[in-house]
Amino acid sequence: MPVMPQSKSPEGLEFGPRRKSFDIEEALAGEWHGGNRFVTAWFNAMSLLFPLGEKFFIDSVVHFENEIEDPRLAAEIASFRAQESTHRVQHQHYNERLCELRGYSLERFEKHERERMAWAYQKFSARRRLAGTVASEHLTAIMAHDMLTNDDVLDGANPAIAELWRWHGVEETEHKAVAFDVFLAVGGTTAERRQALLMNTFFFFKDTLRNLAIMLHHEGKLWSLREWARGFTYLFIKPGILRRVAGSWFQFFKKDFHPWQHDNRDLITTWEREQKAVADATTSVTR
């Protein structure tokens, strides 16, 4: 008897981890995003969430791998796991060097996230934890789309750190539907994923702003109206990265929503073409 397809990814989409290295250490010591303290701290604050978050995502998806009958979705789970594991390694290095160079406490940044994840493992079912991963993957996917579409997100940023964020965004785009398809395959409901998005959005911004505030306080700028005004402008006005993703955030609440209803594989192709051009240029110079 033929197996019913469980993967809803577009035909021809194949992905896996890219083994990359980024020369970011020197830049992390300063305000690497065009000298803008708030925006630099915003990105650094997000990075501090990723290693623990990505472990949670991997665990929640892999928990159900034995219930997946579709060979294609099973292969996508393996690729999802490999990509997220690579992201963990890169952002762990990023976070450790950031804290060493700037005198931050990595333990302080991670404390609340660790406690909440321990609570989630104790209080939530495996499927509810998977719903949380689905919601978080939506948040990362829509922010990745905005970043890869609009140069102004990383305009003026250190090139090596900007490339790390773009690489991460490309891979988040590639596997944006894996957790969603697993969730559907194991009986996840619309109500569960809607509730999860509300909860995860709240904690994403709570944790990011908490980390950002710790960094600004460390630099003696927590009560600087100038820094907060620059941050508000970046997030909501120009370029307004959060304002721009609001519509995509709401799409998740549609009963028939699926991440690949928005087919943005062209962003992956464009990035890969640019990477090849840089590699070819580097090769020609070294000959």
Side-chain angles (χ1 to χ4, degrees), residues 31-36 39-40 43 147 150-159 162 166 234 238-239 241 244:
E31 314 308 335
W32 58 263
H33 200 298
N36 189 316
V39 178
T40 298
F43 279 90
M147 177 179 63
N150 300 291
D151 291 339
D152 54 12
V153 177
L154 291 166
D155 186 33
N158 172 269
R166 291 191 182 100
Y234 179 81
K238 185 178 180 181
I241 62 170
R244 291 194 307 216

Side-chain angles (χ1 to χ4, degrees), residues 46-282:
M46 286 195 294
S47 178
L48 288 159
L49 302 178
F50 290 156
L52 292 176
E54 283 157 346
K55 182 182 185 305
F56 184 92
F57 303 160
I58 292 168
D59 290 347
S60 69
V61 171
V62 170
H63 179 87
F64 291 100
E65 63 182 344
N66 291 334
E67 298 183 35
I68 301 304
E69 299 177 351
D70 179 359
R72 185 180 184 203
L73 183 54
E76 289 177 344
I77 291 172
S79 294
F80 170 87
R81 181 178 193 170
Q83 285 188 333
E84 294 287 48
S85 295
T86 304
H87 300 170
R88 283 189 67 206
V89 171
Q90 291 290 348
H91 281 280
Q92 188 66 32
H93 172 70
Y94 180 126
N95 298 344
E96 289 174 357
R97 292 301 294 141
L98 173 73
C99 291
E100 289 170 8
L101 290 165
R102 305 198 65 155
Y104 303 150
S105 167
L106 183 57
E107 181 180 359
R108 183 182 182 189
F109 287 123
E110 293 183 342
K111 180 177 183 292
H112 285 234
E113 190 178 10
R114 287 186 186 278
E115 291 174 349
R116 190 170 61 258
M117 287 181 177
W119 177 84
Y121 277 107
Q122 181 181 8
K123 299 293 185 180
F124 286 163
S125 68
R127 199 172 79 182
R128 178 58 182 80
R129 295 195 300 271
L130 179 59
T133 293
V134 170
S136 292
E137 288 292 298
H138 180 63
L139 292 176
T140 55
I142 62 178
M143 289 191 288
H145 176 83
D146 186 66
M147 177 179 63
L148 295 170
T149 303
N150 300 291
D151 291 339
D152 54 12
V153 177
L154 291 166
D155 186 33
N158 172 269
I161 300 182
E163 184 50 38
L164 183 152
W165 283 100
R166 291 191 182 100
W167 156 79
H168 192 160
V170 164
E171 296 199 349
E172 289 296 327
T173 301
E174 288 176 323
H175 69 234
K176 66 179 180 177
V178 176
F180 195 99
D181 286 341
V182 173
F183 180 69
L184 292 182
V186 299
T189 69
T190 302
E192 284 175 321
R193 65 173 171 86
R194 286 172 175 169
Q195 292 165 5
L197 183 62
L198 292 172
M199 181 176 181
N200 283 36
T201 301
F202 170 78
F203 281 112
F204 169 78
F205 285 108
K206 176 180 179 292
D207 291 346
T208 301
L209 290 172
R210 174 182 178 273
N211 289 348
L212 186 151
I214 290 171
M215 285 184 267
L216 291 182
H217 182 266
H218 184 88
E219 306 296 333
K221 297 292 183 179
L222 179 59
W223 303 110
S224 169
L225 293 179
R226 179 173 180 270
E227 293 297 339
W228 287 98
R230 293 177 77 184
F232 182 86
T233 298
Y234 179 81
L235 296 177
F236 297 103
I237 301 175
K238 185 178 180 181
I241 62 170
L242 297 184
R243 169 181 51 80
R244 291 194 307 216
V245 302
S248 298
W249 184 84
F250 279 106
Q251 289 295 310
F252 191 84
F253 291 94
K254 291 166 50 182
K255 186 175 182 179
D256 64 345
F257 172 81
H258 188 273
W260 282 115
Q261 286 171 345
H262 183 199
D263 190 343
N264 57 349
R265 285 175 291 168
D266 60 303
L267 298 175
I268 302 168
T269 303
T270 299
W271 180 82
E272 289 178 333
R273 188 184 304 122
E274 292 170 351
Q275 292 291 296
K276 185 177 185 303
V278 170
D280 290 347
T282 302

